[in-house]
C-alpha cells in the first residue's frame, strides 16, 4: 500500500481540520479572511503536490494516480481557488463571511479529488458524497435569504434522489459482476459473451446519477433555481470543480470498465448530449435573470463536452478535457462580472441592469464581452478551440449528426450571448453599478487574458490533455 499516492488528499484533509480549529479559536468577525487565506495556501500547496505525485495504484486498487487524475485534480483545485477569491470582496454582503465557508469549499474539493482518483465504485461514491454534502450546505449558507434556503433544500432533496439511484446502480453492477474495482469490472465485461440485463441496468443507473451532477438533460431540473438562489461565489464554484470531478468519474468509468461495450452505451450518450445542447440553447433565450441564463448555458456546455465521450476515442477524450479547461476559465470570468453587479450596495441580477455598462465601466464591459463571445465559440478566443476539438473528434468518429446538432446549437446560443453585449454597449444606460473590489477585478482581468491568449497555451494544454486521455486508453 503506497500511501504517498494520496499525499495531496491527505495534506488537504489535514489542512481542512487545522483551518477549522483556527477558525473556532478566532473572534467571529475576524476568522473569515484569515481562514480563506489559509485555504488558498492549502489549495496551492496541494496543487504542487498533485503535479509532483507519482503514478501508481494504491490502497488495494481503490485509488489510482495517473496523468488523467492529475489533470482533473489541478483543474478542480484551480476552480476552487478562483471561486474563493471571488467571495472575498463581497463576503459580508453575500452573507458568507464565516470561517466555515472556505472550509466547506476545501472539503468539497477534497471529494472532487477523490472522485478523480477513484479505482473502485465505492470510492467514487464516497468522494461524490463528500463533495455533494458540502455543496448542499454552501447553497444555503446565506441562511437569512429565502432564495438561498430554497436552493439548498431543492438541491439536497434532488441530489439525495440522484445519489440513491447511483448507489442502486453500483449495487446492481456488484451483484452481476462480483466486484466493485474498475479492473475487475473490465475483466467481467470483456469475459462475458452476452452481458446480463441487470448489469446493463446498473450501468444506466450509474450514468443517470452522474448526469444529474452534470445537470444534463433530462436531469437538469434543479440547475436554474439553485444557480439563482445560491450566493454567486457558490454558484461560480458549483459550475466549476464539482462538474469537472463528475466528468472525471464519467470518463474514467465509461472508458475503463465499460469501454469495451462502447457500442452499447454510445447512443445513450449521444441522445443526452444532443438534448442538453439544444435545450440549453433554446431555454436560455427568454431568460431575464443572468444567473438563470448561466444555468441554462452550463447545461449546453456540458452537452458540448459530452460529445468527446460519445466519440469513445482518445481523441474525443482529449477534446473534452480541453473543452473543460476553456469552460472553467471563461465561466469563472463571467461569474466575476456577475458578482460585481451591485448597485448602492445591493446585488442586482437582471440582464437589463447591465445596460450602458460600456459607458459607465468600460473595463468590466469589455471583460464580459470577451467571456460572452468566447462562450459563443467566436475565434480566436478560448471557447472556439474547445468546440473545435470536440466537433473534430465527433466527425472523425463519424458522428456527423451529433456534430451538426452541436454547430446549430452554437449558432442559436450565440444569440443570447451577443444580446448581453448589445445591452452593455448599445442600450440606454441604467444607473451605474458600484465599482468592483480589487479581488473581483483581479479574477476578471486574469480570466480575460487567459481567454484572449489561450491560443498561446493551446499546445501545452492539448499535450497534457493527450497524456491524460492516453492514461485511460492504454
Amino acid at each position: 500500500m503506497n500511501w504517498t499516492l494520496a499525499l495531496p488528499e491527505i495534506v488537504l484533509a489535514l489542512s481542512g481540520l487545522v483551518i477549522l480549529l483556527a477558525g473556532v479559536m478566532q473572534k467571529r468577525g475576524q476568522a473569515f479572511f484569515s481562514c480563506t487565506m489559509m485555504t488558498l495556501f492549502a489549495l496551492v500547496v496541494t496543487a504542487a503536490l498533485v503535479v509532483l505525485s507519482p503514478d501508481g495504484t494504491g490502497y488495494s486498487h481503490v485509488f489510482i494516480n495517473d496523468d488523467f487524475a492529475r489533470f482533473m485534480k489541478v483543474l478542480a483545485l484551480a476552480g476552487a481557488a478562483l471561486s474563493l477569491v471571488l467571495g472575498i470582496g463581497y463576503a459580508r454582503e453575500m452573507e458568507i463571511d464565516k470561517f466555515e465557508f472556505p472550509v466547506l469549499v476545501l472539503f468539497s474539493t477534497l471529494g472532487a479529488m477523490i472522485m478523480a482518483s477513484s479505482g473502485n465504485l465505492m470510492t467514487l461514491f464516497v468522494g461524490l458524497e463528500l463533495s455533494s454534502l458540502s455543496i448542499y450546505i454552501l447553497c444555503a449558507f446565506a441562511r437569512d435569504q429565502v432564495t438561498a434556503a430554497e436552493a439548498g433544500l431543492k438541491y439536497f432533496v434532488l441530489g439525495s434522489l440522484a445519489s440513491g439511484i447511483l448507489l442502486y446502480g453500483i449495487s446492481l453492477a456488484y451483484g452481476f459482476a462480483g466486484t466493485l474495482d474498475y479492473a475487475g469490472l473490465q475483466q467481467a465485461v470483456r469475459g462475458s459473451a452476452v452481458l446480463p440485463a441487470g448489469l446493463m441496468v446498473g450501468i444506466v443507473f450509474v450514468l443517470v446519477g452522474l448526469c444529474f451532477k452534470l445537470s444534463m438533460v433530462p436531469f437538469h431540473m434543479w440547475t436554474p433555481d439553485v444557480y439563482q438562489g445560491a450566493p454567486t461565489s457558490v454558484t461560480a464554484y458549483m459550475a466549476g470543480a464539482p462538474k469537472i470531478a463528475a466528468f472525471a468519474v464519467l470518463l474514467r468509468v465509461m472508458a475503463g470498465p465499460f469501454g469495451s461495450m462502447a457500442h452499447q452505451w454510445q447512443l445513450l450518450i449521444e441522445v443526452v448530449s444532443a438534448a442538453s445542447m439544444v435545450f440549453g440553447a433554446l431555454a436560455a433565450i427568454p431568460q431575464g435573470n443572468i444567473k438563470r441564463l448561466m444555468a441554462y448555458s452550463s447545461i449546453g456546455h456540458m452537452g458540448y463536452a459530452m460529445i468527446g465521450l460519445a466519440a469513445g476515442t482518445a481523441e474525443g477524450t482529449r477534446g473534452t478535457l480541453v473543452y473543460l479547461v476553456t469552460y472553467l476559465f471563461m465561466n469563472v470570468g463571467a461569474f466575476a462580472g456577475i458578482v460585481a453587479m451591485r448597485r448602492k450596495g445591493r446585488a442586482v441580477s437582471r440582464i437589463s441592469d447591465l445596460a450602458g455598462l460600456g459607458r459607465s465601466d468600460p473595463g468590466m464591459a469589455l471583460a464580459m464581452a470577451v467571456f460572452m463571445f468566447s462562450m459563443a465559440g467566436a475565434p480566436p478566443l478560448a471557447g472556439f478551440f474547445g468546440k473545435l476539438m470536440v466537433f473534430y473528434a465527433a466527425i472523425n468518429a463519424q458522428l456527423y449528426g451529433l456534430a451538426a446538432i452541436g454547430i446549430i446549437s452554437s449558432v442559436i446560443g450565440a444569440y443570447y450571448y451577443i444580446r448581453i453585449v448589445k445591452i452593455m454597449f448599445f442600450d440606454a444606460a441604467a444607473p451605474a453599478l458600484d465599482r468592483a473590489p480589487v479581488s473581483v477585478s483581479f479574477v476578471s482581468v486574469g480570466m480575460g487574458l487567459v481567454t484572449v491568449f489561450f491560443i498561446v497555451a493551446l499546445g501545452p494544454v492539448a499535450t497534457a490533455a493527450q497524456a491524460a486521455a492516453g492514461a485511460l486508453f492504454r
Side-chain angles (χ1 to χ4, degrees):
M1 184 175 67
N2 188 0
W3 64 270
T4 58
L5 294 174
L7 182 61
E9 285 80 3
I10 294 171
V11 169
L12 191 61
L14 293 176
S15 299
L17 296 177
V18 170
I19 295 168
L20 191 61
L21 286 173
V24 171
M25 294 170 65
Q26 296 181 69
K27 291 182 178 180
R28 179 167 294 274
Q30 302 172 355
F32 171 77
F33 184 77
S34 60
C35 288
T36 301
M37 291 296 103
M38 286 189 285
T39 302
L40 286 170
F41 179 75
L43 292 174
V44 172
V45 171
T46 302
L49 292 174
V50 167
V51 173
L52 299 174
S53 60
D55 285 352
T57 303
Y59 300 94
S60 301
H61 305 288
V62 303
F63 191 92
I64 301 171
N65 198 43
D66 53 16
D67 287 327
F68 177 79
R70 284 191 289 270
F71 188 95
M72 303 307 273
K73 287 177 186 179
V74 169
L75 271 188
L77 288 165
L82 290 169
S83 64
L84 280 177
V85 174
L86 279 183
I88 293 174
Y90 288 123
R92 185 176 299 278
E93 291 84 352
M94 289 190 288
E95 298 183 30
I96 59 171
D97 57 332
K98 300 173 179 64
F99 72 87
E100 295 92 345
F101 182 82
V103 175
L104 286 168
V105 172
L106 184 150
F107 281 116
S108 178
T109 308
L110 175 62
M113 293 175 65
I114 293 172
M115 291 167 66
S117 281
S118 64
N120 180 288
L121 290 175
M122 196 49 62
T123 312
L124 178 162
F125 185 75
V126 170
L128 179 68
E129 287 306 291
L130 176 58
S131 180
S132 297
L133 288 171
S134 300
I135 296 174
Y136 298 153
I137 302 170
L138 286 170
C139 287
F141 203 81
R143 57 188 179 187
D144 294 331
Q145 298 179 14
V146 176
T147 54
E150 179 188 357
L153 183 60
K154 283 183 177 179
Y155 192 34
F156 172 70
V157 172
L158 295 174
S160 299
L161 174 62
S163 295
I165 293 173
L166 175 66
L167 193 59
Y168 185 54
I170 290 173
S171 67
L172 285 174
Y174 176 74
F176 284 93
T179 181
L180 291 173
D181 290 344
Y182 294 166
L185 286 169
Q186 191 171 30
Q187 291 177 2
V189 169
R190 287 180 176 175
S192 177
V194 179
L195 288 176
L199 180 57
M200 290 296 298
V201 173
I203 294 170
V204 171
F205 278 19
V206 170
L207 272 175
V208 168
L210 294 176
C211 284
F212 175 89
K213 299 300 179 183
L214 290 168
S215 62
M216 305 289 294
V217 174
F219 314 107
H220 64 282
M221 68 290 294
W222 60 274
T223 315
D225 290 340
V226 174
Y227 269 50
Q228 182 180 4
T232 306
S233 60
V234 175
T235 308
Y237 174 73
M238 290 173 58
K243 291 194 175 184
I244 288 168
F247 244 113
V249 169
L250 192 60
L251 290 169
R252 190 180 287 282
V253 169
M254 303 315 292
F258 308 128
S260 60
M261 50 182 291
H263 59 284
Q264 294 179 278
W265 52 256
Q266 192 174 34
L267 179 60
L268 178 61
I269 298 296
E270 289 179 45
V271 171
V272 170
S273 174
S276 298
M277 289 187 292
V278 173
F279 180 81
L282 295 176
I285 291 175
Q287 300 303 317
N289 184 290
I290 195 166
K291 291 175 74 174
R292 292 184 73 87
L293 183 145
M294 291 298 293
Y296 288 111
S297 170
S298 75
I299 294 171
H301 282 296
M302 292 301 101
Y304 294 122
M306 193 73 85
I307 292 176
L309 176 60
T313 61
E315 183 184 39
T317 300
R318 182 191 66 171
T320 293
L321 296 180
V322 172
Y323 194 94
L324 290 175
V325 173
T326 63
Y327 169 75
L328 174 66
F329 291 118
M330 61 188 181
N331 190 71
V332 170
F335 272 106
I338 297 171
V339 168
M341 289 176 61
R342 305 189 77 86
R343 183 174 290 125
K344 296 180 180 179
R346 296 179 60 86
V348 292
S349 57
R350 303 290 300 175
I351 297 175
S352 58
D353 291 316
L354 292 169
L357 187 64
R359 293 183 288 277
S360 60
D361 193 343
M364 183 61 72
L366 178 61
M368 285 292 286
V370 166
F371 301 130
M372 293 301 108
F373 279 119
S374 181
M375 287 186 174
L381 302 177
F384 168 76
F385 296 104
K387 288 185 177 179
L388 177 65
M389 296 189 77
V390 292
F391 290 157
Y392 186 72
I395 291 171
N396 285 344
Q398 299 183 346
L399 301 178
Y400 304 116
L402 187 60
I405 292 172
I407 293 170
I408 294 170
S409 299
S410 294
V411 174
I412 297 172
Y415 165 77
Y416 56 82
Y417 293 125
I418 295 175
R419 172 172 162 251
I420 293 175
V421 178
K422 173 255 182 188
I423 289 173
M424 289 191 298
F425 287 95
F426 300 107
D427 279 16
L433 299 176
D434 298 344
R435 184 163 296 278
V438 175
S439 58
V440 176
S441 299
F442 172 78
V443 174
S444 181
V445 172
M447 296 305 98
L449 292 174
V450 171
T451 302
V452 171
F453 296 107
F454 183 77
I455 189 171
V456 177
L458 179 60
V461 171
T463 301
Q466 184 65 49
L472 296 182
F473 286 88
R474 285 173 183 167

